[in-house]
Amino acid sequence: MSDAASPTLELADLKTHFFTRDGVVRSVDGVDLQVGAGEVLGLVGESGSGKSVTGFSILGLIDPPGRIVGGQVLYRGEDLVQASSARLRALRGRNIAMVFQDPMMTLNPVLRVDTQMIEAIRAHEAVDDATARRRAVAALTQVGIPSPEARLRSYPHQFSGGMRQRVAIAIALLNKPDLIIADEPTTALDVTIQGQILFEMRKLCQETGTALIWITHDLAVVAGLADRIAVMYAGRVVEHGATAEILERPRHPYTHGLIGSVPTRGHRGQALFQIPGMAPSPLRLPQGCAFQPRCTRAVAACAAMPDLQEIAPAHQARCWNPVP
Amino acid sequence: MLVFIIRRLMQAVVVMVVMSALVFGGIYLVGNPVTMLISDQASEAERLAVIRDLGLDQPVWQQYLTFVGKAVVGEFGKSFRAGEPAMQLIFQHMPATIELALVAMLLAVLVGVPLGMYAGLRPDSLRARGIMTVSILGFSLPTFWVGLMLIMLFAVALPEWIPGWPRLPSSGRGPTVDILGLKLSIFTAQGWLHLLLPAATLALAKGALIIRLTRAATREVLPMDYVKFARAKGLSERRIVGVHVLKNIAIPIATVTGLELGQVIAFAVVTETIFSWPGMGKLLIDSILLLDRPVVVAYLVVIVFFLVMLNLVVDILYSVLDPRVRLEAQGR
Ligand SMILES: Nc1ncnc2c1ncn2[C@@H]1O[C@H](COP(=O)(O)OP(=O)(O)OP(=O)(O)O)[C@@H](O)[C@H]1O
Ligand SMILES: [Mg+2]
């Protein structure tokens, strides 16, 4: 489905570091990704692997002491790392929208929902109040909020967490962006609603040709949703490929472990596999491959960082000794 | 809401009763007003007549009960000194104080909030550091010293050193205009000139407080996800700061401003004395010096009532600014 010639977004060797008092945190350290129109990319990794920082880097929303220290964020070929703040502001919310991880904190508590929706439209388009309101109602309807006209006049605290996240998703949809970055938007929701929203979002992206980056720590969530999956570990993509390929033939030991810890059809009857050890501190990453200390397949070569290399057609892994 | 207001009013009554008893007893212990009011040459018969007139021959508890009995119907006795009803005296002096306090707080907010927000938005800039240093000064310099320095500078030194520099008045409130029976200075240019120095004296300390509060609140709100989300929506920096940040920091600022306004009105004593501002504070000091008990007690009762009411208004304002509080009030 993806059109490799002109991806909506392409990250090339993106590096975002935080210069903290304790040292440099290399949260994102050379990430290459791309996502095309109508395509869903699942970005998977455990807590602290740099998924959110990758998302914020795309929008230029890294606050000090963090900084993008290298690489490119190519939106339709335009490098956003070099873009002016005015240009970034114009793109945010209109061309690239983001749904944040924590729905309880995303909406401003002292502003009504209509204010927060209408301002998102009017920041980019000179439309009258009635038109903006109509679009807000349409967006709320789209994400399944009952009696949207009445709900528009509510304050965020009058919504449940799940409803708030739907409002945040509705805000992301308002200006019909070509790229949506959804940062674990369904983690706070219960399973039925989660499935419903996933289904809706996917349908929407296919209909409108919106590219979607779906961030999650749960492989099962993206299994039925994403066209491709990129697995992140310690600020790097360690494996990447078509969803079915990754799920059925994981080659990186880390991905293999991740899948082993989720009960799936293919592994029925086998004992659940746990990845030994803990994620390394981002301040003291091991030399070479960051996964090496936890890896059961580590070899001498792992002392040097492997490249992300083509391991099968349209399937890359960053590993010296991949799972066969 | 009504229950809430009634409860507050009852609290006010209790505080007023306790307070008036304490003050009444206190002043009784401090000294006998008769020695202040009657000249040494007066005869014994004249002395006794005055004492009986003022009801000072009775035991203190009886005096107090008489006082309470009258206070309930709004009568606080006559000033020993002026012979006018104490309440009337206080209400005469009230507009001057309220006017001064309002202008001072307005000044403090108009200067303090922008400076505080600037310091909060750019905490590492040189200017922000300058603002914070000045605010520490404003915070810690004693009011009387600031008042005297301002008088020295703007009413004495500058007009003398620099020819043509306008001399700011440093005493009294200048000409007043009657508006609805209230004497007000803010409607004449001369009145404003008279207001300038005392208002600035009060505003310096209050403004410094508001700067620090605003800066702290701004720094607290900025890292919030909803500010980042506002950025992610592509809003302009002006809208983010002017609406998303300001509306959130308005809650603590409004609360503190309201309470500080009450403080200024109730205790502008020092400033009013320095600038001979004919307000309630000056009236209080003069009355204490003369042991003019009815005025002092009436003043305190008025102030307690006023502070309780102000707290109530602040609470109501708070619920207007913060929708989360509003909902709880509805639920009750
Ligand atoms: N402001 C910051 N200052 C210092 N370090 C930061 C900052 N923000 C993020 N980091 C670090 O960057 C790394 C990646 O964080 P990120 O939020 O991207 O993780 P994540 O993959 O989204 O995890 P989660 O699933 O918990 O959301 C973490 O180690 C975190 O400590
Ligand atoms: Mg995250």
Side-chain angles (χ1 to χ4, degrees), chain B residues 67 69 71 134 157 191 208 299 303 307 322 328:
Chain B
F67 160 77
V134 172
Y299 172 82
I303 287 300
L307 287 182
D322 193 338
E328 279 161 32

Side-chain angles (χ1 to χ4, degrees), chain A residues 52 101 183-184:
Chain A
S52 296
Q101 198 163 353
D183 191 352
E184 309 208 25

Side-chain angles (χ1 to χ4, degrees), chain A residues 176-220:
Chain A
K176 311 215 179 333
D178 355 289
L179 172 65
I180 298 178
I181 303 161
D183 191 352
E184 309 208 25
T186 55
T187 314
L189 310 182
D190 68 60
V191 182
T192 14
I193 298 172
Q194 193 172 319
Q196 201 178 324
I197 289 194
L198 290 176
F199 177 76
E200 287 283 336
M201 291 285 279
R202 192 191 158 90
K203 200 175 79 182
L204 214 97
C205 289
Q206 283 171 344
E207 280 167 10
T208 58
T210 305
L212 178 62
I213 298 180
W214 194 280
I215 297 175
T216 178
H217 61 265
D218 187 356
L219 258 176

